[in-house]
Amino acid sequence: MSVPKEHMMPMLDASLKLNKDPGRRIGIADVLYTLIALGAAVFAYYHYREYLWGPQIGMLFGFAIGVSFLGWLWPATRWLVGVVAVVSLFTVYQYGLYAPGGEAVGRIKLHEIQEGHFFLKFFLSSPAATMWMVTLFALAMPTYFFGMWRRSVFAEKVASALVWSGIAMGFIGFFARWRESYLINFDYGHIPVSNLYEVFVVFSVFTSLLYLYYERRYQTRALGGFVMMVVTAALAFLMWYQFSQAANTIEPLVPALKSWWMKIHVPANFIGYGSFAISAMVGVAYLIKEKMGGDGVNDRLPSLAVMDDIMYKSIALGFAFFTIATILGAMWAAEAWGGYWSWDPKETWALIVWLNYAAWLHLRLSKGWRGTAMAWWSVGGLLVTTFAFLGVNMFLSGLHSYGKL
Amino acid sequence: MSDISRSAELNPPKSAEAQPGAVQHRSQSVTKRILLWLTSMNLAVTLLVILAIASVIGTVLKQNESFNSYLDVFGPFWFAVFRNLSLYDVYSATWFVAILLFLVASTSSCVARNAPAFLRDIRSFRLNAQEKSLRAFAHKADMKSTAKPESLVAPIQALLERAGFKSRVKTQPHEILISGRKGGLNRIGYVLTHVGIIVILLGGLLDSKMQLKLMDALGMVKVETANIPVSEVPAASKIHVGGLQAFRGTVNIPEHKWGDVVFIGLKDGYVVQELPFKIFVNKFSIEHYDTGMPKSYKSNVTLTNKETGQEITKTIEVNHPLHYMGYNIFQSSFGDGGTKLKMKAWQLSGKAGVAQPIDSAVFDKKRFDFNNQNYQLEFTDFRMYNINPVMDDKGVVHQKNYGPSVTFKLRNAAGEAIEYQNYFLPISFKGHQYYLSGVKRSIGGQEQYLYIPADQKGSIDTFMAYLAMLSDQAKMQQIAARLIGDVSSSVDGKSAMSNEKLTQSASASIAELVHVFVQQGFPAMQAKIESALAQRKLSPEASKKAEQASISVVRSVLERAFLETLAAQDGKQEFTDKDAKFFDDAMDAISALPAYGSPIFVQPTSFEQIQSTGLEVSRAPGAIWVTIGSIMLVIGIFMNFYIHYRRQWVLLKPDEKGTRILLAGSDIRKNIDFDKDFAAFSSELMAATESKPSESERPA
Ligand code: HEM
């Protein structure tokens, strides 16, 4: 088998050179940023060391190193991290003014504080920030499509800016909510990844962020509308869930979820889910382009080869993190349920999702399958993934106790 | 040809050792063919997909329920079919385990076949590549330089090194070949990934029910199905310490009691696994949030090593298991351990409103007779907290604690049972208080509630006194007579004599109607009125009117009776809104009584709680292997995805004007990355060698 024609084309097109410098050196900015991140971790450690224990300390410094690495890999995230850090600290500081000594104030008082403070009420409290996130993400989708349709680079840049801001607001709301849970009642305090409402926010933010990575990496904004479609659908669900069932209320954790494994198991899972969602939406774009005549005729979307490549990259990334997430889940189960694998429906569906993408990867790598069939498969993969994510909670019962609809 | 050789097609054809799977098709032995089949990618993908599909079954069909409940759902035919397919415990079914073992076999033979060649390959520089084979590559570029070949070697090697390649040079009289490679860890990643999978699967298999199923199949252990105390379980169903390498079993131990075995579910029953230590439960406790939701479940236990007699006392909590003597002990459930109960049994008919005390305990039974019928009360559970969702006025759902309750079954002489759940305390709904009793007529059936209104003092007494009054037929007749007397004397002046007679017969029939209402409910009373009216052959309208009149008379009597009950209770005369609401609620409750299905109402009054804790005990010698395999898998996957295994060759051939340069490269992953990196490299190469692109030439 030889490399197909479309694979050869970009070789001659120097303008398509990736925005990634393979031998990128570590510059001053990288060093400075890393020092700031580590410094912040050290500061946090000194201030809160009596509350921290082994793995948490590891996580604190691991997080600082992770953020530094991400900043090196993708410099734009430094701005994101900086803005989110500053604004979140400001939020925490504002709350601190009303709750001296970090005391809990209760639900009603918290609501009063939020209502009585301009910034908290309109921007910084988790309900406000999350609504901003929803609005910004929902605007991004039509803006991307408009930009693609009118070939307007400006509109596409606006769309990207909307996504960046939405992500920032999502994180700001996330950290605010984390703080608020402790303000309501110290016992309630937990990282907001514990129920269906909270993980939908995580899903939207992660998927958008992962998408922006590919946008930069492949220098194309044409896929934004497609990816933001999934995010918007998730947000539509989120809004329905919030308004019909008051699902955004901060509730305490059930005993089974009171474990630090949750903090890493859930985010790892959502890097997986987000990546699979992206690959499916790129698959949709691929199939549309192919129906409309493939490369050549239509140049609004990236070439089929590029989309095929994005599909592979995001499935690979998703697979890697989904593997980690499933293993972390197994380790957690070993501690919480008495065995690392119980064939609980959620667990089993995670395995099904994983096997599905393992098959996809093998077909691509070892049998050289490309193109339409793989695009269809990755679209189908999203259905399987969605069932694992939502369907299991809705239709099947099991040990996973969060997020009953 | 197998698939792997296709992916290796980018390799120069000369290096035959880098073509694993290049097995000749002719003259294959059977074992070779089987091996070829086992290592084929088609089988691998098929296995992955089959495993995924098979896994779905167990998530759709609830696993490990009792055989009876499956029988109920599927009927005898499908029940048997599904049982024979082991669908009730799919994941330990032989056929399912066989798929897993197949996957192990396939992956192992894949690794066994590829790994040696891969590992050899990453150490080779393939310096024997010929121009012809390099030209066969998809990624290649021709250029021409005016420099001499020898002078180009150093800059090219430097360039390769900058791009991360290690390189070697082979100089021959007519050509110089520079060969670079990088990313050999990718191949090690392949090995780690797949060996990791094998290690995980084998570790998992070690911890599965395989050994137990084997022992069962060989008759070394007998499944017990009866619900009997451990002491009565026959030795054939018991497994000694060390008899099972791996197991997961559960045991319920009440507070202040001990246990030294666990039960392992198998087929439609269980076997008993003995433990080398005793578990004594000092205390089981649940902490709650201010919402009433549980915050933690904890068991404080003392473990005694049976051999040494050594004791330790520890607390086991959800997410904080205890590891002891190679066993893991988890908090898995909780229940009642025989809470002591004090109750009142109110008669609902006959001599209604009379209460008798009952002293009992959860798991005890109490017999009693009523109207010459045998009944048995079986107390099955006590619950301290009952958190239920309740909708408030605004339609928002809140969690509400109904307080302690006792669950019991009332079994009649025919053996039929109805399940009740009665609450100790009155529960407030919209500002009014009720004693609740949940009724479940069949297992898994919908729970319905009887709401008995509590009086101003929050007691059930007023309702019971009222019920007693209504059940007293003489009293009712009196009230009815008084009512009729009031009405008729105010209407006309017929002779007192005839009035008296009329009043008596009318009041008797009204009292009878009240009796029917209390005993059989409103529809029965209505039917009785209708049948009485039917004998009088009235016109439909008149009949309707008469019926309504009768009902309203009965209602007036019921109201009067209520007023008298109130008066007798605390001498009060006026009728407030609260009383009116109480009256309506009492009417609803009384109408519901015939459907309640019990001749008595059990009102629990006090308790002394004794809990039991549900512990899970496991031994998992495979867990360490699963952990090791998982680490290999994760590291392997990242190496596989993010380290690119690449080779690049630069062939330098002198010609009259300088040097012809041929660049060729390969990456096993045929991704755009390499297209781009290769293009970038070739332009850098052109710059470094000061050469120009040239038409590719046929090799001589
Ligand atoms: C659950 C089981 C398996 C898992 C999780 C797994 C995982 C993987 C992964 C992650 C890759 C790398 C894919 C890529 O880089 O795109 C891979 C490659 C590969 N797998 Fe598997 N695999 C499994 C079973 C098998 C089996 C049974 C075979 C045997 C036929 C097999 C043969 C291969 C081969 C030949 C490659 C390509 C190696 C290379 O050239 O890089 N795998 N596998």
Side-chain angles (χ1 to χ4, degrees):
Chain A
M1 196 193 76
S2 72
V3 176
K5 256 272 155 26
E6 67 266 22
H7 266 227
M8 301 290 291
M9 304 292 277
M11 280 169 58
L12 307 172
D13 181 359
S15 70
L16 254 168
K17 188 163 144 36
L18 283 179
N19 198 14
K20 186 194 84 171
D21 189 350
R24 205 177 102 85
R25 295 290 138 98
I26 293 171
I28 300 252
D30 300 305
V31 174
L32 270 181
Y33 181 69
T34 306
L35 285 179
I36 293 173
L38 286 175
V42 170
F43 177 81
Y45 172 71
Y46 264 96
H47 254 253
Y48 300 107
R49 61 181 180 280
E50 68 233 64
Y51 304 109
L52 296 172
W53 53 285
Q56 288 176 328
I57 299 168
M59 260 160 81
L60 179 66
F61 285 94
F63 189 70
I65 292 166
V67 160
S68 307
F69 175 72
L70 193 64
W72 171 77
L73 195 71
W74 184 8
T77 57
R78 292 179 193 152
W79 286 102
L80 179 71
V81 171
V83 168
V84 169
V86 169
V87 177
S88 298
L89 286 173
F90 178 71
T91 310
V92 170
Y93 172 72
Q94 290 303 319
Y95 277 133
L97 295 181
Y98 295 93
E103 266 169 46
V105 297
R107 239 183 245 289
I108 296 163
K109 183 78 200 303
L110 175 66
H111 189 68
E112 279 169 14
I113 294 172
Q114 289 170 343
E115 287 296 305
H117 185 296
F118 177 79
F119 282 109
L120 289 178
K121 181 173 181 186
F122 291 107
F123 298 100
L124 302 180
S125 71
S126 75
T130 310
M131 278 322 276
W132 274 107
M133 176 199 81
V134 171
T135 314
L136 291 164
F137 281 165
L139 286 175
M141 176 185 69
T143 315
Y144 270 123
F145 276 132
F146 177 82
M148 179 174 69
W149 174 49
R150 305 295 310 202
R151 296 178 197 277
S152 158
V153 176
F154 174 72
E156 286 189 331
K157 282 190 172 165
V158 169
S160 295
L162 287 170
V163 178
W164 276 112
S165 335
I167 291 169
M169 288 318 276
F171 274 120
I172 289 165
F174 178 88
F175 288 113
R177 189 179 168 98
W178 197 343
R179 181 72 191 95
E180 285 159 15
S181 65
Y182 283 91
L183 276 175
I184 291 175
N185 185 327
F186 201 76
D187 279 352
Y188 290 17
H190 63 270
I191 182 171
V193 295
S194 72
N195 62 29
L196 211 52
Y197 173 86
E198 291 169 346
V199 300
F200 258 84
V201 174
V202 174
F203 172 79
S204 312
V205 172
F206 276 26
T207 308
S208 309
L209 193 60
L210 287 164
Y211 161 71
L212 286 179
Y213 177 74
Y214 295 110
E215 177 176 296
R216 183 199 72 116
R217 181 93 199 267
Y218 289 84
Q219 295 287 294
T220 170
R221 295 193 161 94
L223 297 168
F226 292 92
V227 175
M228 293 315 284
M229 235 153 79
V230 176
V231 173
T232 311
L235 295 174
F237 174 83
L238 188 77
M239 289 294 97
W240 168 80
Y241 197 36
Q242 169 168 347
F243 289 114
S244 78
Q245 318 216 359
N248 58 335
T249 316
I250 298 176
E251 299 283 358
L253 289 181
V254 298
L257 293 181
K258 299 185 86 176
S259 164
W260 75 275
W261 289 106
M262 182 178 79
K263 293 185 175 67
I264 43 179
H265 168 64
V266 178
N269 247 321
F270 279 87
I271 295 179
Y273 287 146
S275 297
F276 297 150
I278 290 174
S279 78
M281 294 321 285
V282 174
V284 169
Y286 185 103
L287 293 170
I288 289 175
K289 177 149 187 170
E290 195 181 49
K291 262 262 146 34
M292 290 170 66
D295 289 340
V297 189
N298 186 324
D299 62 348
R300 280 195 171 85
L301 284 168
S303 73
L304 292 177
V306 164
M307 290 198 276
D308 187 80
D309 205 58
I310 299 179
M311 248 174 354
Y312 167 71
K313 289 269 166 48
S314 71
I315 285 184
L317 182 75
F319 185 77
F321 276 91
F322 204 71
T323 308
I324 295 180
T326 309
I327 290 169
L328 290 174
M331 289 177 158
W332 183 6
E335 212 168 276
W337 298 339
Y340 47 83
W341 198 261
S342 313
W343 295 102
D344 153 81
K346 191 92 184 172
E347 235 169 36
T348 310
W349 273 93
L351 177 71
I352 293 166
V353 167
W354 189 78
L355 290 169
N356 177 48
Y357 288 109
W360 193 98
L361 285 168
H362 279 91
L363 283 179
R364 185 184 154 104
L365 182 64
S366 295
K367 300 220 65 159
W369 281 28
R370 299 282 151 110
T372 318
M374 298 310 270
W376 275 112
W377 194 328
S378 73
V379 173
L382 184 61
L383 298 183
V384 179
T385 308
T386 309
F387 191 84
F389 176 14
L390 269 184
V392 173
N393 298 4
M394 273 154 53
F395 305 117
L396 309 174
S397 61
L399 301 166
H400 268 81
S401 41
Y402 81 87
K404 287 268 167 349
L405 278 179
Chain B
M1 288 285 272
S2 78
D3 312 299
I4 188 69
S5 62
R6 253 196 266 170
S7 83
E9 210 172 31
L10 285 178
N11 300 333
K14 267 283 158 91
S15 48
E17 93 281 358
Q19 289 194 20
V23 187
Q24 295 297 301
H25 258 253
R26 285 157 278 139
S27 73
Q28 280 171 357
S29 69
V30 177
T31 35
K32 252 191 183 154
R33 271 192 206 205
I34 290 178
L35 231 106
L36 207 62
W37 174 70
L38 261 183
T39 54
S40 80
M41 188 49 70
N42 286 349
L43 178 72
V45 171
T46 310
L47 280 174
L48 295 178
V49 173
I50 287 182
L51 188 59
I53 293 170
S55 303
V56 175
I57 298 173
T59 68
V60 178
L61 181 62
K62 243 185 150 195
Q63 299 286 291
N64 295 311
E65 301 276 288
S66 78
F67 274 20
N68 279 333
S69 62
Y70 290 124
L71 193 57
D72 275 356
V73 177
F74 300 122
F77 177 73
W78 289 110
F79 167 76
V81 171
F82 291 169
R83 191 192 50 202
N84 291 338
L85 289 172
S86 308
L87 294 195
Y88 306 135
D89 192 3
V90 169
Y91 304 115
S92 49
T94 318
W95 60 267
F96 191 87
V97 175
I99 298 179
L100 287 176
L101 285 173
F102 240 109
L103 193 62
V104 172
S106 161
T107 316
S108 328
S109 41
C110 231
V111 175
R113 196 184 67 174
N114 291 333
F118 280 8
L119 297 180
R120 229 177 303 132
D121 187 51
I122 57 176
R123 278 183 285 150
S124 141
F125 275 96
R126 303 227 191 122
L127 281 165
N128 52 359
Q130 303 288 311
E131 176 167 5
K132 197 172 158 203
S133 55
L134 292 181
R135 288 207 176 278
F137 277 68
H139 294 83
K140 60 181 179 286
D142 280 288
M143 40 199 103
K144 272 189 159 135
S145 170
T146 50
K148 288 243 158 287
E150 295 76 27
S151 68
L152 291 176
V153 172
I156 291 174
Q157 275 200 295
L159 192 63
L160 279 168
E161 191 178 340
R162 263 234 322 274
F165 288 84
K166 281 202 185 94
S167 62
R168 290 285 184 279
V169 185
K170 183 172 161 194
T171 314
Q172 279 172 304
H174 57 286
E175 62 176 33
I176 299 175
L177 180 67
I178 305 165
S179 168
R181 62 160 159 74
K182 73 170 179 184
L185 282 179
N186 170 290
R187 312 280 67 198
I188 294 174
Y190 164 85
V191 177
L192 280 178
T193 305
H194 294 85
V195 173
I197 290 289
I198 299 164
V199 172
I200 290 174
L201 283 172
L202 291 179
L205 226 50
L206 204 63
D207 288 349
S208 72
K209 272 188 182 168
M210 203 175 49
Q211 191 195 350
L212 183 59
K213 290 195 71 160
L214 212 66
M215 285 167 72
D216 175 49
L218 299 176
M220 290 158 72
V221 65
K222 223 176 123 272
V223 174
E224 176 59 62
T225 51
N227 195 357
I228 47 177
V230 186
S231 53
E232 290 167 29
V233 173
S237 299
K238 285 188 177 165
I239 301 171
H240 295 296
V241 175
L244 266 184
Q245 284 308 305
F247 64 85
R248 275 170 82 174
T250 53
V251 61
N252 289 317
I253 310 173
E255 289 173 316
H256 313 304
K257 297 260 161 66
W258 59 266
D260 64 348
V261 298
V262 288
F263 299 87
I264 306 170
L266 187 62
K267 292 202 275 198
D268 58 338
Y270 60 90
V271 296
V272 172
Q273 166 71 52
E274 292 173 351
L275 301 174
F277 51 87
K278 282 186 186 182
I279 308 171
F280 182 85
V281 178
N282 302 308
K283 179 144 187 60
F284 172 78
S285 56
I286 308 180
E287 282 179 312
H288 292 262
Y289 293 110
D290 57 358
T291 56
M293 267 173 62
K295 180 172 148 191
S296 71
Y297 304 105
K298 288 181 189 166
S299 297
N300 185 275
V301 297
T302 299
L303 304 175
T304 313
N305 185 328
K306 281 187 191 166
E307 244 171 53
T308 62
Q310 218 171 4
E311 286 189 357
I312 58 161
T313 297
K314 286 267 156 105
T315 299
I316 302 171
E317 193 179 344
V318 175
N319 274 316
H320 301 281
L322 177 63
H323 305 287
Y324 183 66
M325 292 176 75
Y327 293 75
N328 315 306
I329 311 171
F330 305 86
Q331 181 67 56
S332 88
S333 66
F334 65 97
D336 197 88
T339 293
K340 297 190 177 126
L341 300 164
K342 284 198 192 316
M343 293 155 288
K344 279 180 181 171
W346 295 92
Q347 286 189 28
L348 292 177
S349 57
K351 263 179 84 66
V354 177
Q356 263 164 1
I358 313 180
D359 278 5
S360 190
V362 172
F363 307 131
D364 272 4
K365 295 177 178 153
K366 262 280 173 328
R367 299 185 145 279
F368 70 95
D369 289 337
F370 192 85
N371 276 351
N372 300 325
Q373 295 229 37
N374 267 318
Y375 289 94
Q376 179 165 280
L377 280 171
E378 302 169 6
F379 297 95
T380 53
D381 198 11
F382 167 84
R383 281 215 232 151
M384 193 68 174
Y385 297 92
N386 287 278
I387 313 291
N388 289 312
V390 174
M391 209 188 282
D392 70 8
D393 305 342
K394 296 191 200 100
V396 181
V397 176
H398 293 279
Q399 301 297 325
K400 178 168 168 165
N401 184 7
Y402 285 10
S405 73
V406 53
T407 307
F408 57 90
K409 285 187 175 140
L410 181 75
R411 197 177 293 283
N412 66 16
E416 297 154 345
I418 304 179
E419 191 179 83
Y420 297 92
Q421 184 184 7
N422 290 7
Y423 294 81
F424 282 71
L425 303 170
I427 297 150
S428 168
F429 293 100
K430 302 201 169 138
H432 301 280
Q433 293 199 311
Y434 304 87
Y435 281 90
L436 246 61
S437 173
V439 189
K440 236 188 244 175
R441 296 190 161 270
S442 58
I443 295 166
Q446 184 75 34
E447 187 160 50
Q448 291 172 314
Y449 285 97
L450 176 70
Y451 291 79
I452 295 182
D455 60 23
Q456 244 83 298
K457 293 187 211 117
S459 139
I460 203 169
D461 293 350
T462 305
F463 177 83
M464 287 301 172
Y466 182 44
L467 191 64
M469 166 109 54
L470 296 188
S471 307
D472 182 346
Q473 227 165 331
K475 188 95 187 163
M476 292 321 291
Q477 195 168 346
Q478 258 177 27
I479 292 174
R482 237 183 297 137
L483 190 75
I484 295 167
D486 288 355
V487 176
S488 53
S489 61
S490 66
V491 172
D492 60 34
K494 276 194 189 160
S495 79
M497 207 25 214
S498 69
N499 251 345
E500 183 126 343
K501 258 204 166 147
L502 229 114
T503 308
Q504 201 160 41
S505 76
S507 60
S509 59
I510 288 168
E512 176 61 22
L513 286 178
V514 171
H515 180 71
V516 171
F517 170 64
V518 173
Q519 292 294 310
Q520 294 163 45
F522 186 78
M525 180 183 88
Q526 210 171 8
K528 188 161 174 80
I529 296 173
E530 272 166 17
S531 75
L533 287 174
Q535 287 169 1
R536 284 166 51 187
K537 301 211 168 54
L538 296 172
S539 71
E541 296 98 77
S543 162
K544 188 114 202 126
K545 262 194 182 152
E547 186 183 332
Q548 269 160 10
S550 309
I551 292 174
S552 78
V553 172
V554 171
R555 190 179 159 88
S556 307
V557 172
L558 293 170
E559 278 172 3
R560 280 268 176 129
F562 181 56
L563 279 176
E564 289 199 14
T565 310
L566 286 184
Q569 285 284 74
D570 47 10
K572 100 181 209 183
Q573 294 299 333
E574 59 205 290
F575 196 64
T576 63
D577 280 355
K578 280 217 147 166
D579 295 327
K581 174 71 178 149
F582 185 101
F583 177 73
D584 289 343
D585 290 335
M587 284 298 108
D588 288 345
I590 291 168
S591 312
L593 281 183
Y596 185 59
S598 168
I600 58 168
F601 179 80
V602 175
Q603 185 201 0
T605 51
S606 69
F607 61 84
E608 184 189 321
Q609 189 182 19
I610 300 170
Q611 308 185 77
S612 84
T613 181
L615 299 176
E616 180 165 318
V617 180
S618 78
R619 247 183 80 89
I624 180 70
W625 292 108
V626 173
T627 310
I628 293 171
S630 299
I631 293 168
M632 291 169 75
L633 176 65
V634 170
I635 294 175
I637 285 178
F638 274 90
M639 284 160 96
N640 228 314
F641 286 157
Y642 297 108
I643 296 175
H644 303 291
Y645 184 47
R646 287 178 180 169
R647 289 177 180 282
Q648 278 176 187
W649 290 268
V650 184
L651 182 66
L652 306 171
K653 287 206 157 179
D655 72 358
E656 57 281 7
K657 288 188 211 111
T659 312
R660 278 195 300 121
I661 303 173
L662 171 61
L663 167 68
S666 77
D667 179 342
I668 1 165
R669 260 166 213 61
K670 294 159 202 154
N671 292 335
I672 291 183
D673 294 350
F674 185 56
D675 301 347
K676 296 183 178 170
D677 290 345
F678 187 80
F681 186 83
S682 54
S683 48
E684 280 175 41
L685 185 66
M686 266 186 271
T689 57
E690 291 172 359
S691 55
K692 286 197 232 78
S694 76
E695 288 297 301
S696 76
E697 294 170 36
R698 295 276 111 220

